[in-house]
Amino acid sequence: MTTATFAKGLEGIIAAETQMSFIDGQKGVLEYVGIPIGELSSKSNFEEVVCLLWDLKLPKSAELAAFGRALRANYEIPAELADRIRKLPKSASPMHVLRTLVSELALYDPAPNANEPGPAREKALRILGMAPTLVAYYDRYRRGLDFVKPDKDLSFAENFLYMLNGEKPTPTMARAFDICMILHADHGLNNSTFAARVIISTLSDIYSALTGAIGSLRGPLHGGANEGVMHMLNEIPSLDAVEPYVMGKIERHEKIMGFGHRVYKAKDPRATDLQKLAKKLAEDTGNADLYAKSNAIEKIMEREVAAKGIYPNVDFYSATTYHCIGLKLDLFTPMFALSRIAGWSGHILEQLRDNRLFRPKASYVGPHDAPFVPMDQR
Ligand code: ACO
């Protein structure tokens, strides 16, 4: 007989094995396949990181080139989906749009349920390649602009910014966006990755698993926090207003978005990288005040709540970074999703290689032997 333990929110429970990312929450360490995240963000690029996560090794030059060609061959979305985007309500949230359209991609796949390693990987590549086009097309449509078709000569990061803005990004902006993509690509068994693994463990299909993961990510306790951070920065009118704003929140026991983490009890290493990026971009783009406010919030939080293990997480400085790249606020969480499709897909492939159905138990805390009271006596 197995003994059952109960951990609310599955805190501290190991529910899967992974070879993709390692996190030491006490020391603030994150590695992808053993390589420290700072090494990857400074020396690699997003396509190479996807190869690393999916194949569990760095690609050789020819392998990376082949991967890049295959990914770019998937940039274009089915014409039916492009037409469909033109009929969506312009008021919809891009995260709801992305979730809906990733689900709809299954309708244009002749074999959406094929979970064997080859086809599953091809589907992952298809969705990773097409997802930026879905987001960029929707954003241009809602702004009343024509679609800008993807350019297969451009990298994942360059192509997204090109489709969104209609002009090629500067090398600095493209590199900044690429670094964001690297930093958000994978992160152990976070809520959305767990959701993806739970769904694929029924041997459902990759579209369903990614749709569920996108739904999970948009929550304000998870990836949606980056938009919450920007709302907060917008609410704080000046640097002088930071102290009373943050102290007021702490006194009212309200959470400051972009701080705290279930696993990290030290500064999230991704936040360290994003902070550097945010500072540089803020100076270059005339947003120094935004960075100054963020930094002031961090200092107050350090003074007031660091003893509880609450430090900036990935979402805190990504808000300033995305703003400086020129992204609209409600595209922040979709940006996270575009990158995390790499991690979710890697976990789906990993789960399929050694699957066991997720089926935990609930501890029943209701009554027993209750009478069935007839309708007229209730
Ligand atoms: N601001 C202020 N206090 C906080 C914060 C915060 N952001 N986060 C946690 N705390 C406090 C809680 O109030 C609680 O205090 P108490 O013990 O005095 O009641 C204590 O720290 C523990 O917090 P929990 O919410 O129970 O910890 P949990 O592990 O569930 O929280 C979570 C993790 C959900 C991320 C939380 O820190 C939070 O809500 N942060 C804000 C939202 C956010 O930034 N989410 C993004 C996380 S990163 C990611 O998902 C990509």
Side-chain angles (χ1 to χ4, degrees), residues 125-368:
L125 198 65
R126 176 173 192 261
I127 302 166
L128 184 70
M130 290 182 185
T133 315
L134 298 174
V135 175
Y137 276 18
Y138 176 68
D139 184 63
R140 287 191 70 86
Y141 152 74
R142 70 177 174 167
R143 287 190 280 149
L145 300 171
D146 289 338
F147 296 159
V148 174
K149 284 191 169 262
D151 182 340
K152 292 190 175 88
D153 290 333
L154 301 180
S155 72
F156 186 91
E158 288 168 325
N159 178 54
F160 177 73
L161 294 175
Y162 168 65
M163 288 190 293
L164 201 64
N165 300 325
E167 57 187 40
K168 291 185 184 155
T170 63
T172 308
M173 285 301 171
R175 178 63 188 149
F177 191 62
D178 196 64
I179 292 172
C180 291
M181 295 290 106
I182 294 172
L183 295 173
H184 287 82
D186 189 45
H187 203 243
L189 204 59
N190 58 84
N191 189 291
S192 52
T193 300
F194 184 48
R197 288 189 83 132
V198 167
I199 294 170
I200 204 65
S201 83
T202 68
L203 300 184
S204 178
D205 65 280
I206 189 166
Y207 296 96
S208 299
L210 290 176
T211 301
I214 295 169
S216 153
L217 186 76
R218 66 166 291 277
L221 297 186
H222 192 12
N226 58 13
E227 294 182 15
V229 172
M230 198 64 218
H231 282 298
M232 173 174 71
L233 292 170
N234 287 338
E235 256 173 40
I236 303 175
S238 65
L239 196 52
D240 291 345
V242 171
E243 175 88 20
Y245 180 94
V246 175
M247 289 312 292
K249 284 220 169 240
I250 292 174
E251 277 151 27
R252 293 191 299 276
H253 297 286
E254 289 171 13
K255 286 185 171 170
I256 303 284
M257 291 292 111
F259 282 82
H261 200 276
R262 179 60 66 76
V263 179
Y264 288 118
K265 301 303 165 198
K267 189 163 174 176
D268 183 331
R270 300 167 299 175
T272 307
D273 271 2
L274 283 163
Q275 179 173 7
K276 286 184 215 145
L277 201 55
K279 185 169 190 292
K280 167 93 179 65
L281 289 180
E283 281 161 6
D284 291 356
T285 58
N287 285 297
D289 58 323
L290 203 59
Y291 176 79
K293 281 194 268 182
S294 305
N295 197 230
I297 296 172
E298 184 184 355
K299 289 200 171 112
I300 299 166
M301 291 295 277
E302 169 88 36
R303 187 186 74 208
E304 298 293 327
V305 295
K308 280 201 213 170
I310 300 167
Y311 290 90
N313 59 48
V314 67
D315 290 320
F316 188 62
Y317 284 107
S318 70
T320 303
T321 306
Y322 286 148
H323 178 84
C324 295
I325 290 174
L327 298 171
K328 272 191 290 306
L329 202 161
D330 66 359
L331 291 181
F332 290 9
T333 315
M335 293 311 95
F336 193 157
L338 296 185
S339 160
R340 188 56 63 84
I341 286 172
W344 292 329
S345 302
H347 278 267
I348 289 167
L349 299 174
E350 201 172 45
Q351 183 69 32
L352 285 169
R353 284 198 293 273
D354 184 23
N355 187 48
R356 182 151 176 88
L357 177 75
F358 280 100
R359 202 320 184 177
K361 294 198 287 187
S363 172
Y364 176 70
V365 293
H368 289 284

Side-chain angles (χ1 to χ4, degrees), residues 60-72:
K60 294 198 164 123
S61 166
E63 290 165 336
L64 181 58
F67 178 82
R69 279 194 300 276
L71 179 67
R72 291 163 196 214

